[in-house]
Amino acid sequence: MKTALDLVAAAKARVSEIPVSEAEAAIREADVLLDVREGDEFANGHLPGAIHASRGMLEFKLSSTPALTARDLKVVLYCKTSGRAALAAAAMQDMGYLNVKSIAGGFDAWVAAGKPVVKPEMPSFG
């Protein structure tokens, strides 16, 4: 019986994972940057320009959003540490997407490298 870690390892063996040091260039070249974490994770901070599409709803969002249906889109994905992004990239490959990359180490590696993060603004009641 396979575990979640087995599935992630199999996905990572067949998807393109890029190091954080190459992520900014890949994002600039990409058509879309997808954050596949949960909504609360996204709301607490995300990469600039990221679109939220939680891993659990990814295939449905891709299929129902006209701007995301072209199989030649250049896509960069990330999650917290890279497991969900690898699974998401593998699912996108299975759907026929041709140019999908995930960020090795995910959001945590991005933050550890001192890269910019967008955080929601709290309203001022002063």
Side-chain angles (χ1 to χ4, degrees), residues 11-12 14-20 22-24 26-37 42 46-47 49-59 61-62 68 73-95 97-110:
K12 285 188 175 204
R14 69 180 183 107
V15 302
S16 175
E17 229 182 12
I18 54 171
V20 170
E22 297 173 18
E24 286 176 304
I27 291 166
R28 277 193 303 273
E29 295 171 10
D31 296 309
V32 64
L33 173 62
L34 292 178
D35 182 323
V36 297
R37 299 174 302 155
F42 182 83
H46 54 272
L47 276 61
I51 295 171
H52 179 248
S54 66
R55 171 65 197 101
M57 295 300 294
L58 179 67
E59 294 87 344
K61 184 159 188 161
L62 292 170
L68 300 176
L73 280 177
K74 292 179 183 170
V75 180
V76 174
L77 310 143
Y78 70 93
C79 63
K80 180 172 171 50
T81 60
S82 73
R84 286 175 284 178
L87 294 171
M92 289 184 72
Q93 285 178 344
D94 291 345
M95 293 176 75
Y97 287 87
L98 303 170
N99 193 343
V100 180
K101 298 176 180 175
S102 68
I103 300 174
F107 184 79
D108 287 357
W110 179 270

